[in-house]
Amino acid sequence: GSSTLQLMDFDSVMTKLSRFNSEMESKANDNNDERGFRRGYGQESSLKREAADKCIELLQALERNYDCILQHARPSDDVAPEDILPETKHSQLMPSASSYNHVLHTLAHSGKGQRVAAEASATLDRMLERCRKYLEMTKDPSLPLPPPEPTIITFNSA
């Protein structure tokens, strides 16, 4: 059998990571342990942070793959040889709005503080920047689908 990666595989894992953090927070609330849990004490905090980090890694892998697709769909002489990305065999594997929403949701439930806020803001900024850059490109039928635009859910999650 073929072991082709699909966006559904990434989204499935990201959904599980996102739900994991929400369930951990609910469990802490049920146990009246919210003060320690939200402040970031104990193993729960470490697990929530790790889930958020894994979700971010998956999104970044999708973004890198999309960058490869985009660069090879529209070759340019302006790209330095050291900046040429490898071709990808996963031509349909790119982030969706849900991918970004899962990351933002997982971050929101991973704890509090400036680091989490900065990561959420950077994720949203990256999403917006990708949309802006795509819109500035000359319309070319060989280009892949545009990157996802933020939704109301995206902004509410950030």
Side-chain angles (χ1 to χ4, degrees):
S2 175
S3 61
T4 304
L5 287 173
Q6 296 182 358
L7 181 58
M8 290 185 322
D9 300 327
F10 278 77
D11 278 347
S12 174
V13 172
M14 294 171 92
T15 298
K16 289 175 183 171
L17 291 167
S18 180
R19 286 184 182 153
F20 172 79
N21 277 3
S22 295
E23 288 168 8
M24 298 250 328
E25 192 167 335
S26 294
K27 186 175 161 183
N29 290 340
D30 292 346
N31 293 334
N32 293 321
D33 188 26
E34 188 172 336
R35 282 193 342 235
F37 188 73
R38 288 195 183 266
R39 283 193 190 138
Y41 299 120
Q43 183 179 4
E44 291 88 0
S45 176
S46 174
L47 291 172
K48 286 174 34 174
R49 183 67 235 169
E50 190 174 329
D53 290 344
K54 293 295 179 196
C55 211
I56 291 167
E57 286 176 29
L58 289 172
L59 175 63
Q60 290 172 340
L62 289 170
E63 289 175 333
R64 279 191 306 275
N65 195 70
Y66 182 78
D67 292 343
C68 292
I69 295 167
L70 196 58
Q71 188 180 76
H72 289 280
R74 193 176 165 181
S76 170
D77 295 333
D78 297 342
V79 179
E82 63 271 9
D83 293 333
I84 294 176
L85 300 170
E87 286 199 53
T88 177
K89 61 182 177 180
H90 305 291
S91 63
Q92 299 300 311
L93 199 55
M94 53 190 78
S96 64
S98 292
S99 306
Y100 286 93
N101 295 346
H102 289 313
V103 167
L104 293 169
H105 184 264
T106 305
L107 280 168
H109 292 276
S110 70
K112 295 188 180 207
Q114 291 180 350
R115 179 178 176 218
V116 171
E119 285 182 59
S121 179
T123 300
L124 182 58
D125 289 346
R126 211 169 52 246
M127 184 183 195
L128 291 167
E129 180 66 12
R130 288 171 163 279
C131 289
R132 186 190 61 74
K133 280 184 178 178
Y134 189 90
L135 291 173
E136 289 175 357
M137 292 179 171
T138 308
K139 296 300 176 214
D140 180 347
S142 68
L143 287 177
L145 293 172
E149 294 180 3
T151 63
I152 291 172
I153 294 170
T154 309
F155 286 108
N156 287 341
S157 296

